[in-house]
Amino acid sequence: EEGFQSTRDIRENTRQNLKHLILTNPGERIMDPEFGVGVQRYLFSNFSENIQGQLYDKIVQQAGTYMPAVEIVNITFTETNPDTNTFSFQIFYNLRDAGLNDLLEFTI
């Protein structure tokens, strides 16, 4: 629905890159099978604190590997609905060298 968008500044570029990192499934990116969190894989799991912890760790690990200028401050899981197989979360992050703070929200 949103697709790829041209970015004009570092904040937009970082948001877009982090979004791609979260939504890409491991093995989906050519020449880098480890890239991506693959958040959709968690969609049909029993979304417990254990799954939230796994997803949190995976996001932090992937951001540390592929976006070292980004520091994940916190990830908050805000809403889950097992009847419609959806969950929502927010990623609070800092862009270290630029001194920028931002928030990225997902509903999967």
Side-chain angles (χ1 to χ4, degrees):
E1 192 173 289
E2 293 177 19
F4 179 78
Q5 300 174 1
S6 179
T7 58
R8 297 194 181 344
D9 64 24
I10 194 165
R11 177 174 280 176
E12 289 180 42
N13 189 38
T14 302
R15 285 179 64 83
Q16 193 72 12
N17 287 341
L18 188 56
K19 182 178 174 181
H20 285 265
L21 182 68
I22 302 299
L23 295 176
T24 301
N25 290 314
E28 190 173 9
R29 189 171 193 181
I30 296 172
M31 302 296 289
D32 194 350
E34 301 298 318
F35 180 88
V37 172
V39 72
Q40 293 89 351
R41 296 180 304 157
Y42 297 91
L43 190 56
F44 295 101
S45 301
N46 289 328
F47 206 69
S48 64
E49 287 184 21
N50 185 35
I51 296 296
Q52 290 176 4
Q54 289 176 17
L55 183 55
Y56 187 103
D57 292 343
K58 184 72 171 178
I59 291 170
V60 169
Q61 180 268 327
Q62 287 284 304
T65 301
Y66 293 100
M67 299 182 71
V70 172
E71 174 188 15
I72 304 295
V73 175
N74 193 21
I75 301 171
T76 305
F77 297 92
T78 55
E79 181 181 325
T80 61
N81 188 342
D83 294 332
T84 59
N85 293 316
T86 61
F87 65 93
S88 300
F89 60 99
Q90 300 173 324
I91 302 174
F92 300 90
Y93 64 93
N94 294 328
L95 191 54
R96 292 184 179 132
D97 295 337
L100 298 172
N101 300 317
D102 208 351
L103 165 71
L104 190 57
E105 297 182 85
F106 288 93
T107 298
I108 305 295

